[in-house]
Amino acid sequence: MNVRLGPWSIRLAPRSFAVTLLLLLIACAVAVAAISTGEFTVPVPDILAALTGDGTPVAELIVNKLRAPRVVTGLLVGAAFGLSGAIFQSLTRNPLGSPDFIGFTAGASTGGILTVIAGGSAATIAGGALAGCVITAVLVYGLSFRRGVQGYRLVLVGIGANALLLAANSYLLTRANIYDAATAAAWLTGSLSGRGWDHAVPVALALALLLPLCAYVARPLRMIEMGDDAAKAMGIRVEAVRAAAIVAGVLLCGVATAAAGPVAFVALASPQLARRLTRSPGVTLASSALMGAVLLTASDLVAQRLLAPVQLPVGVVTAAIGGAYLAFLLRKDRY
């Protein structure tokens, strides 16, 4: 189905459009449920009143100061992880080609641990995580480059870098004092606890800046999935598109990790779940982003309510879900 907007034309697959719309509605429903439920239940009309500034002081405190920032951060971080995973799975043409496996999340973790050990604040820890992710990506890209970057080479180099960085992270934790090690270990699990608007705003700005770039490379990435030679024959500047996609994917992963820590498996599972729902021949960016938002926000809701009043870090829940999904993926596709 083609939709014309003046001189532009957009091709919409009916099933993909329906799934994307459904995921958007589910994300909204999960967000409302997360804001409404808890030790103090806030009815939906009171939520709307609090968001518009017409609610009671108690409702405005709970909604605007405590729950809404956490939920919005979860939605944005999940979308960034899902989008990043979709980009790298498309680039590598491999369902395991996500930042969790090719070293970028581990690099962000290294940067975060180093700043924790150095006594950094929350802002410097976030900056260290972003810097670690970017430096790791530059090194992996450089080591993978040989007359261009092939997907399998990027995956292999990334897996090697991931193993080295995980070893480095373990070493750093053993050398840190007990308080810094405990702080770093808690951050490494991934959590949305205590997240405020100051965490959500940077991720929102990053998404606003990078979404146009992702939209621009989406179609060429579909062509590159058919092979470099075929893409070049259709006039695609393969290396330029690949470099732009890597920049977008790395920054999305780094910003998301800086905001919530290295939440496991969201970037891995979201694109594949979205692909199976849409039945698309390639990875779809919009549905992957929304799937990531739904997956992370729903996991955080489970983490808060499963053992209430004890709250689990959201990374524990996503790791359990992702581990089960990975086992299913390996069994189904027989890697």
Side-chain angles (χ1 to χ4, degrees):
M1 179 174 64
N2 289 322
V3 178
R4 296 195 62 84
L5 299 173
W8 295 281
S9 176
I10 302 174
R11 179 178 175 82
L12 294 177
R15 184 180 178 89
S16 296
F17 179 77
V19 169
T20 301
L21 183 60
L22 177 62
L23 288 173
L24 179 61
L25 295 175
I26 293 175
C28 293
V30 172
V32 171
I35 295 174
S36 176
T37 59
E39 292 184 8
F40 186 90
T41 301
V42 182
V44 175
D46 291 350
I47 294 175
L48 297 176
L51 292 175
T52 57
D54 295 328
T56 64
V58 174
E60 289 191 8
L61 172 66
I62 293 174
V63 173
N64 297 332
K65 300 294 184 182
L66 300 178
R67 294 181 186 171
R70 176 172 183 156
V71 170
V72 172
T73 302
L75 290 170
L76 295 173
V77 168
F81 272 129
L83 200 53
S84 178
I87 288 172
F88 285 111
Q89 288 181 16
S90 178
L91 282 172
T92 59
R93 287 172 260 171
N94 190 322
L96 299 181
S98 80
D100 298 325
F101 281 83
I102 57 180
F104 301 152
T105 303
S109 301
T110 304
I113 293 172
L114 287 172
T115 51
V116 169
I117 293 175
S121 62
T124 55
I125 292 171
L130 180 58
C133 184
V134 171
I135 292 170
T136 302
V138 171
L139 292 174
V140 170
Y141 184 84
L143 293 172
S144 305
F145 193 91
R146 185 183 299 172
R147 296 179 182 178
V149 176
Q150 299 297 324
Y152 73 90
R153 191 182 296 123
L154 182 67
V155 171
L156 291 176
V157 173
I159 289 174
N162 189 62
L164 291 173
L165 289 167
L166 289 177
N169 293 345
S170 298
Y171 173 76
L172 290 172
L173 289 176
T174 61
R175 302 301 299 173
N177 65 58
I178 186 64
Y179 302 106
D180 289 341
T183 301
W187 181 80
L188 287 172
T189 307
S191 175
L192 293 174
S193 178
R195 296 309 186 263
W197 294 117
D198 55 329
H199 296 90
V201 170
V203 187
L205 290 176
L207 283 169
L209 292 172
L210 294 172
L211 279 175
L213 179 59
C214 294
Y216 177 76
V217 301
R219 181 177 175 84
L221 281 177
R222 288 278 188 99
M223 305 298 179
I224 293 175
E225 286 182 5
M226 297 186 294
D228 289 3
D229 292 337
K232 289 177 181 177
M234 289 182 284
I236 303 298
R237 298 172 59 191
V238 173
E239 287 308 320
V241 170
R242 188 175 281 134
I246 289 175
V247 168
V250 168
L251 291 178
L252 287 167
C253 174
V255 169
T257 304
V263 183
F265 286 109
V266 177
L268 171 73
S270 300
Q272 291 302 311
L273 291 173
R275 181 176 181 175
R276 280 162 170 73
L277 287 176
T278 59
R279 297 179 184 174
S280 171
V283 176
T284 54
L285 299 185
S287 58
S288 297
L290 288 171
M291 179 61 75
V294 170
L295 185 60
L296 185 56
T297 310
S299 296
D300 188 51
L301 181 60
V302 171
Q304 293 181 71
R305 305 289 177 257
L306 183 63
L307 299 177
V310 177
Q311 294 192 12
L312 298 173
V314 68
V316 173
V317 178
T318 60
I321 295 173
Y325 170 73
L326 181 59
F328 166 77
L329 182 66
L330 293 172
R331 182 180 183 276
K332 182 177 184 299
D333 292 338
R334 299 181 183 276
Y335 281 98

